[in-house]
Amino acid sequence: MPDELIQILAKALADLVISIDLSDDEDVPPDVATRWFEDSAHTLGHLIESDRDRLTALWHDLADQEPSPARRQALRELPEGLGLDDRD
């Protein structure tokens, strides 16, 4: 997959997950959000270690460019939250 496509997909996924995570409980019920995150984590769990590392690096690069402190912190926590740092 071309690098630009990977970067755009990584950003799109991060934006979606973080927007859901930072939303009010009335807008997105926590049990629904948890199910969505678990589904995403399961899918990302199929990545090989080098791809997990690459996605983590992309999200950390996005965090370095993010002006919002809340979103910057969420980007830094995203790999752990989605299980990318789990080494089975």
Side-chain angles (χ1 to χ4, degrees):
M1 218 181 279
D3 278 349
E4 184 178 8
L5 177 59
I6 291 170
Q7 291 172 354
I8 289 170
L9 289 173
K11 182 174 181 350
L13 178 59
D15 287 343
L16 179 62
V17 170
I18 290 168
S19 293
I20 292 168
D21 190 38
L22 297 178
S23 68
D24 293 328
D25 289 351
E26 297 82 37
D27 294 331
V28 180
D31 59 322
V32 172
T34 298
R35 240 186 352 254
W36 292 341
F37 296 154
E38 288 172 351
D39 289 345
S40 296
H42 175 75
T43 300
L44 293 173
H46 296 289
L47 292 172
I48 60 173
E49 185 173 348
S50 62
D51 288 340
R52 289 176 182 219
D53 293 342
R54 184 174 181 200
L55 186 53
T56 295
L58 286 170
W59 285 339
H60 285 175
D61 289 346
L62 289 170
D64 291 342
Q65 301 168 26
E66 176 58 52
S68 164
R71 291 183 68 83
R72 183 172 44 252
Q73 184 64 30
L75 277 163
R76 294 206 180 282
E77 295 171 353
L78 191 55
E80 180 180 357
L82 292 176
L84 292 182
D85 62 350
D86 293 344
R87 307 295 182 194
D88 296 321

